[in-house]
């Protein structure tokens, strides 16, 4: 058997390979087995009672816990530098669990202005049914955050980098503002997982992820995670998300995400490299009005990006086409461009091995009310790109060729 490793003293790549993955006690399997079982049997009735009461460690029923999922949770906690993690069946399961943990009837949540459309829907439609008040603020503006806090504010919720406008929030300063007032901070770090941004180290109380994206990285499993201090997560695990609302992942999906995470360090380097190369190409293209990517030195948020991301600027970006290209409406020009790519796929999601391109106003953000979309800058001319792992030169050649149809 391997010796226990101290991941606080080891690098990110080593942690992503070894964390959670002890050789299996049954036969010494080095790759974590998929415990594809709904229930676990006990040697004796006494043992069953003790496991159920928590007196003895063990598994009873996969909705409450499963060894493959435990291995994934250990790796997820090392990923973000948290004490513990809860794996969920989807990113939305993680978002819901974190929100229900902190907010009750009569409370107020201040949320980021520009967030993923399903999360926006939960805030707008679902939480109001529980008499939880939600307002939004521009989280790239610290004064707007402080000004949006009310007497009954219990939670600040925002995305480390907003979807789809790529706006960064200063997590350290926002956490300071919140904690001075006894308010909790939850950050959705799906767009900028480590090594890009580490919200817990900057003061956030909980991090949520859609592991569907970069963390799994292979586009073949839906999953989510909530990561933070054990005392914050225990009530979510036993009383809210996992056990009672049943957001448990399948053991097979836990295995897929666990496997995907082992190559995360290498993958993230390439995503960042390709994202930067595409953003730089777009910045110089005559059909492009504006590129949203804080890694560019021309970005108004570049100084914050340098401070928080230290050169790992990510693989996701957005850009707006200029008005009136060849007399076309913005939406038509976007469709013409999207239909001209050959390597990138037209698809939502992000963090896949292949490059993905999408039209936010009619796809991911189509359900957001039009006035809100307009206020956030999600125009008909906006295209979002998730740079994949392909050869950079192939991607750039494909972008060049696709853009030539607009000349
Ligand atoms: C920022 C962000 N958070 C959460 C989610 C939800 O994740 P999932 O689709 O895994 O439920 C998404 C999905 O696109 C997302 O982009």
């Amino acid at each position: 058997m391997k010796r226990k490793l101290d991941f606080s003293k080891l690098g990110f790549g080593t942690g992503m390979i070894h964390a959670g993955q002890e050789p299996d006690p049954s036969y010494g399997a080095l790759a974590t087995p998929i415990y594809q079982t709904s229930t676990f049997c006990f040697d004796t009735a006494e043992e069953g009672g003790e496991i159920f009461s928590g007196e003895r460690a063990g598994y009873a029923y996969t909705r409450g816990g499963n060894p493959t999922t435990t291995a994934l949770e250990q790796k997820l906690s090392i990923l973000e530098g948290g004490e513990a993690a809860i794996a969920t069946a989807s990113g939305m399961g993680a978002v819901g669990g974190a929100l229900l943990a902190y907010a009750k009837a009569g409370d107020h949540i201040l949320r980021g202005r520009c967030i993923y459309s399903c999360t926006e829907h939960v805030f707008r439609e679902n939480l109001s049914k529980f008499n939880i008040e939600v307002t939004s603020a521009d989280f790239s503006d610290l004064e707007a955050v402080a000004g949006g806090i009310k007497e009954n504010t219990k939670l600040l919720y925002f995305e480390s980098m907003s979807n789809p406008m790529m706006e960064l929030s200063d997590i350290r300063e926002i956490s300071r503002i919140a904690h001075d007032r006894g308010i909790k901070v939850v950050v959705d770090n799906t767009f900028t997982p480590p090594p890009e941004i580490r919200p817990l180290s900057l003061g956030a109380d909980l991090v949520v992820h859609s592991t569907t994206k970069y963390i799994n990285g292979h586009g073949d499993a839906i999953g989510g995670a909530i990561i933070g201090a054990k005392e914050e997560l225990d009530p979510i695990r036993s009383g809210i998300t996992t056990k009672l609302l049943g957001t448990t992942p399948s053991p097979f999906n836990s295995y897929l995400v666990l496997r995907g995470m082992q190559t995360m360090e290498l993958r993230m380097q390439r995503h960042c490299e390709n994202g930067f190369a595409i953003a730089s190409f777009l910045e110089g293209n005559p059909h492009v009005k504006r590129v949203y990517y804080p890694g560019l030195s021309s970005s108004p948020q570049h100084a914050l990006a340098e401070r928080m991301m230290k050169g790992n600027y990510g693989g996701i970006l957005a850009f707006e086409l200029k008005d009136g290209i060849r007399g076309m409406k913005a939406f038509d020009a976007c469709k013409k461009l999207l239909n001209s790519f050959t390597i990138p796929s037209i698809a939502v999601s992000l963090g896949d091995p292949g490059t993905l391109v999408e039209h936010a106003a009619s796809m991911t953000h189509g359900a957001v009310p039009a006035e809100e979309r307009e206020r956030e800058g999600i125009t008909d001319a906006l295209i979002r790109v998730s740079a994949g792992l392909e050869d950079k030169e192939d991607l750039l050649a494909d972008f060049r060729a696709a853009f030539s149809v607009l000349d």
Side-chain angles (χ1 to χ4, degrees):
M1 291 289 148
K2 284 198 297 187
R3 277 182 300 128
K4 286 248 176 270
L5 297 172
D6 178 357
F7 293 106
S8 66
K9 297 200 170 82
L10 297 168
F12 179 62
T14 310
M16 287 306 91
I17 291 165
H18 292 286
Q21 297 199 256
E22 299 290 319
D24 186 62
S26 307
Y27 297 106
L30 191 52
T32 303
I34 307 166
Y35 284 92
Q36 194 70 21
T37 183
S38 49
T39 195
F40 296 81
C41 67
F42 313 115
D43 283 340
T44 60
E46 288 79 6
E47 187 197 28
E50 283 166 18
I51 288 177
F52 261 91
S53 69
E55 279 168 68
R56 189 195 289 214
Y59 297 94
Y61 188 62
T62 282
R63 175 155 46 76
N66 177 286
T68 315
T69 302
T70 301
L72 170 62
E73 290 173 339
Q74 286 169 358
K75 205 185 281 293
L76 285 165
S77 69
I78 298 300
L79 168 79
E80 285 284 7
E83 259 174 25
I86 297 174
T88 56
S90 70
M92 288 313 298
V95 169
L99 292 178
L100 290 179
Y102 287 137
K104 59 179 191 325
D107 289 345
H108 169 251
I109 299 176
L110 184 65
R111 71 156 174 93
R113 199 178 60 163
C114 188
I115 53 174
Y116 174 55
S117 58
C118 290
T119 310
E120 189 274 335
H121 187 100
V122 170
F123 278 123
R124 183 163 38 84
E125 297 287 337
N126 300 51
L127 292 191
S128 60
K129 290 187 194 146
F130 298 111
N131 194 24
I132 297 167
E133 185 193 359
V134 182
T135 58
S136 65
D138 176 358
F139 270 62
S140 64
D141 174 351
L142 295 175
E143 276 177 28
V145 174
I149 289 174
K150 302 183 179 200
E151 211 137 89
N152 58 339
T153 305
K154 290 287 162 11
L155 175 66
L156 305 189
Y157 180 99
F158 57 103
E159 294 173 1
S160 50
M161 185 185 266
S162 73
N163 179 5
M165 303 309 291
M166 312 304 141
E167 259 175 2
L168 284 173
S169 300
D170 188 335
I171 299 171
R172 191 185 294 284
E173 285 309 313
I174 292 171
S175 299
R176 207 168 283 155
I177 292 169
H179 293 155
D180 282 352
R181 296 161 175 80
I183 296 168
K184 298 283 186 183
V185 174
V186 175
V187 178
D188 182 336
N189 199 28
T190 299
F191 271 40
T192 55
E196 293 174 34
I197 296 179
R198 291 182 164 86
L200 296 177
S201 74
L202 298 172
D205 296 287
L206 287 183
V207 178
V208 295
H209 272 286
S210 166
T211 58
T212 312
K213 312 294 176 351
Y214 289 108
I215 292 181
N216 175 43
H218 291 73
D220 52 10
I222 298 279
I226 314 175
I227 306 163
K230 193 172 171 318
E231 69 168 9
E232 307 268 343
L233 292 182
D234 280 348
I236 302 180
R237 185 189 298 283
S238 57
I240 306 172
T241 315
T242 319
K243 203 161 167 194
L244 300 187
L245 292 184
T247 57
T248 319
S250 79
F252 183 60
N253 274 15
S254 292
Y255 163 80
L256 287 175
V257 179
L258 188 70
R259 186 172 74 148
M261 286 179 79
Q262 293 186 80
T263 52
M264 214 173 147
E265 196 210 9
L266 287 171
R267 288 190 287 105
M268 294 315 294
Q269 276 174 26
R270 181 79 162 230
H271 282 299
C272 290
E273 214 178 292
N274 284 351
F276 188 82
I278 294 172
S280 306
F281 162 80
L282 291 168
E283 194 176 35
N285 188 280
H287 296 303
V288 173
K289 184 158 134 193
R290 190 162 167 197
V291 182
Y292 298 91
Y293 185 74
L296 292 175
S297 55
S298 56
S299 162
Q301 286 199 304
H302 187 63
L304 180 59
E306 270 189 311
R307 185 152 34 94
M308 287 210 301
M309 305 176 86
K310 300 184 177 65
N312 302 303
Y313 298 124
I316 180 137
L317 57 122
F319 64 95
E320 241 181 316
L321 289 180
K322 282 187 179 156
D323 304 325
I325 295 173
R326 291 178 52 191
M328 285 183 283
K329 287 196 175 126
F331 192 10
D332 292 333
C334 285
K335 283 192 268 191
K336 197 169 179 56
L337 180 66
L338 288 172
N339 292 337
S340 303
F341 286 115
T342 57
I343 294 176
S345 306
I346 305 170
V348 300
S349 201
L350 52 125
D352 270 31
T355 297
L356 308 177
V357 286
E358 69 117 3
H359 184 250
S362 65
M363 296 180 192
T364 44
H365 291 69
V368 176
E371 346 51 276
E372 187 154 338
R373 261 201 329 258
E374 222 156 275
R375 200 175 53 232
E376 303 316 329
I378 308 169
T379 67
D380 275 356
L382 190 80
I383 289 177
R384 193 183 78 180
V385 180
S386 166
L389 305 174
E390 298 96 338
D391 288 298
K392 185 167 60 190
E393 292 317 320
D394 293 337
L395 280 179
L396 291 177
D398 207 67
F399 268 73
R400 247 179 257 121
F403 268 86
S404 69
V405 302
L406 301 179
D407 289 344

